[in-house]
Amino acid sequence: MRSWSAPNVPKLPGKSVPLRLYDTASKQVRQTDPGPTARMYVCGITPYDATHLGHANTYLAFDLVGRVWRDMGHEVHYTQNATDVDDPLLERAQQTGVAWQDLAEREIQLFRTDMEALRVLPPREYVGVTEVVGRVAELIAGLAAKGVTYMLDGDVYFSVADAPKFGQVSGYDEQQMLDLFAERGGDPGRPGKRDPLDWLLWQAERPGEPAWESPLGRGRPGWHIECTAIALDNLGAGFDVAGGGTDLIFPHHECGASEGHAATGEWPFAKFYTHAGMVALDGEKMSKSKGNLVFVSKLRLQHDPMAIRLVLLAHHYREDWQYTPGQLAEAEARLARWRSATGLGSGPDTEELLAEVRERLADDLDTPGALALIDAWAERASAGDGSDPSAPGLVRDLADALLGVAL
Ligand code: 5CA
Ligand code: ZN
């Protein structure tokens, strides 16, 4: 599919700082160590509703990963999927009387516009699952040939007994896994399963649902395998970062990692599993199923997208937080202060500021720390401190290149 258009990213002077990032699998902040081309896969939306602040928070976190890598001089190879066929999408299409394809296309288009407005760097490949069903089926057939799958009433399951690394991404115990599996559609109690945690790879055609011909029979892919296939096809195994929100740790990334391992023999499938915290509204995680959503496209009607971006940046990406409209007002005030300071003819020297902001972001994307540093510079500049005529321009470039905030 078409991705979205890329904003300009200014080049910054001075020395960059290598990125350290939290890895869910090793439960540690470690230094990322990409080759000349850094490879990242981030789980995309299920396009049955508009982009909410929770989604935006996740894509912004990985946007920063890409920006810090670029600052380090790497090429960034970024791939993202869209789950453009799945139960919730089909249900919503049915309820609202639209064709599921039209619903998916409409919401993906809105997502692109939201991402562009927020100056999120686009993936190199933006792949809808419906575009690659044949490749997904091939991957499943390959797994079947390795003997790690079994059939149940025409559906194909991955056998968790054949996943020796299962548990290494989430680190969850058996009970936690069972609870989350049930909550997130794993159907642990289905009669005939060999193990409650066996997961669906291919779902045989159901009446009235879309299906594709394949060596596995007519049907459609299960959820986790789509991301494994798209990541493998575009990035190859052993890529640098697999990303998403914490709700994807289990079972999605756990199952995907084991699929990748079984398919390639390589472990880890991704060097880092990195997860953004959940954004809530009125005490509950923002989710399409609960309907407590703050849509980016609605906020954009009345607010500068850069202020929306600053709302998200004011929280560390791993934090779970609640959105309140007051945060948007604060972000607007901050944006105005930064714009006014960088609109002056001169300001305090920026060498130290640039080094410190780089260090804050390299430290597991400490955006609140980075924002505080720019706040302090802006305050001094506005007080008439400093006489460097190149400083305001450099701070504009810095905010743009590293934080994606256009001033
Ligand atoms: N299509 C799958 C991934 S393959 C999916 O989870 N789609 S989604 O539309 O439900 O979510 C898209 C991304 O936003 C995922 O990375 C998910 O972890 C993240 N996300 C969803 N809800 C929130 C939330 N309330 N706060 C933060 N991130 C969220
Ligand atoms: Zn995914």
Side-chain angles (χ1 to χ4, degrees):
M1 291 188 312
R2 196 164 52 76
S3 189
W4 56 91
S5 60
N8 177 48
V9 182
K11 277 251 166 277
L12 297 173
K15 209 168 155 307
S16 60
V17 184
L19 175 64
R20 309 185 300 277
L21 204 58
Y22 185 80
D23 169 37
T24 301
S26 58
K27 298 190 170 64
Q28 277 174 4
V29 175
R30 295 189 285 122
Q31 187 170 317
T32 60
D33 185 22
T37 300
R39 295 172 293 161
M40 173 162 70
Y41 182 89
V42 178
C43 284
I45 55 164
T46 305
Y48 69 91
D49 213 339
T51 318
H52 59 64
L53 274 182
H55 300 136
N57 189 58
T58 290
Y59 299 114
L60 200 90
F62 296 96
D63 184 54
L64 298 177
V65 171
R67 286 172 183 276
V68 175
W69 277 340
R70 285 171 74 130
D71 187 45
M72 286 163 65
H74 296 282
E75 284 261 351
V76 180
H77 186 169
Y78 174 23
T79 303
Q80 186 179 133
N81 71 313
T83 308
D84 61 357
V85 59
D86 198 12
D87 295 340
L89 174 76
L90 299 175
E91 281 160 23
R92 178 65 63 91
Q94 179 99 52
Q95 285 160 12
T96 51
V98 251
W100 61 273
Q101 296 95 327
D102 295 343
L103 175 60
E105 199 180 302
R106 186 179 80 205
E107 297 305 343
I108 288 171
Q109 184 45 34
L110 186 57
F111 175 70
R112 288 189 188 104
T113 347
D114 288 336
M115 291 296 104
E116 271 173 16
L118 292 175
R119 294 176 76 80
V120 171
L121 298 171
R124 192 185 292 181
E125 296 92 13
Y126 187 36
V127 185
V129 179
T130 55
E131 296 178 299
V132 293
V133 173
R135 297 286 303 131
V136 179
E138 252 175 56
L139 181 64
I140 300 171
L143 292 173
K146 288 182 195 295
V148 299
T149 70
Y150 63 92
M151 301 277 294
L152 183 58
D153 300 332
D155 296 342
V156 182
Y157 275 90
F158 196 109
S159 169
V160 72
D162 292 309
K165 306 287 189 186
F166 198 81
Q168 292 201 17
V169 171
S170 65
Y172 295 161
D173 64 30
E174 181 86 8
Q175 194 54 53
Q176 266 175 302
M177 289 189 190
L178 283 168
D179 292 347
L180 287 170
F181 204 63
E183 194 182 301
R184 294 173 181 165
D187 204 0
R190 178 169 179 187
K193 282 177 81 168
R194 294 182 188 164
D195 188 298
L197 293 176
D198 292 343
W199 67 92
L200 188 69
L201 294 172
W202 183 261
Q203 175 165 301
E205 181 171 15
R206 308 269 195 274
E209 288 192 357
W212 287 259
E213 292 291 350
S214 87
L216 312 153
R218 280 181 65 80
R220 62 180 162 103
W223 173 30
H224 317 306
I225 195 74
E226 74 185 53
C227 289
T228 310
I230 296 168
L232 265 179
D233 267 7
N234 293 287
L235 302 172
F239 57 93
D240 294 288
V241 168
T246 49
D247 58 342
L248 297 187
I249 296 172
F250 192 91
H252 188 55
H253 287 168
E254 192 73 79
C255 295
S258 283
E259 290 165 349
H261 181 222
T264 64
E266 277 192 56
W267 186 264
F269 184 53
K271 293 184 198 157
F272 284 73
Y273 282 89
T274 299
H275 296 100
M278 288 294 114
V279 181
L281 183 71
D282 305 327
E284 288 226 64
K285 172 195 156 186
M286 243 180 233
S287 75
K288 291 175 240 194
S289 49
K290 292 204 187 84
N292 59 337
L293 305 174
V294 177
F295 293 121
V296 172
S297 43
K298 288 252 172 69
L299 285 183
R300 280 204 281 124
L301 295 175
Q302 282 169 353
H303 302 276
D304 189 320
M306 293 301 99
I308 304 174
R309 197 162 166 122
L310 280 173
V311 168
L312 305 172
L313 292 171
H315 300 272
H316 187 262
Y317 79 98
R318 286 205 278 135
E319 184 192 332
D320 292 326
W321 54 278
Q322 297 236 22
Y323 173 72
T324 55
Q327 294 170 12
L328 191 51
E330 272 173 40
E332 281 173 326
R334 170 177 266 145
L335 186 63
R337 289 197 307 273
W338 288 13
R339 282 193 172 142
S340 137
T342 55
L344 296 169
S346 64
D349 181 70
T350 51
E351 200 176 321
E352 205 175 310
L353 173 71
L354 181 54
E356 286 177 347
V357 169
R358 278 180 161 138
E359 172 49 32
R360 282 303 81 229
L361 291 176
D363 180 12
D364 196 27
L365 308 175
D366 175 11
T367 52
L371 264 50
L373 289 164
I374 299 177
D375 282 344
W377 179 92
E379 196 172 322
R380 286 178 55 204
S382 299
D385 204 356
S387 55
D388 179 351
S390 67
L394 199 131
V395 174
R396 273 199 304 274
D397 282 354
L398 161 68
D400 193 356
L402 293 179
L403 297 169
V405 177
L407 294 174

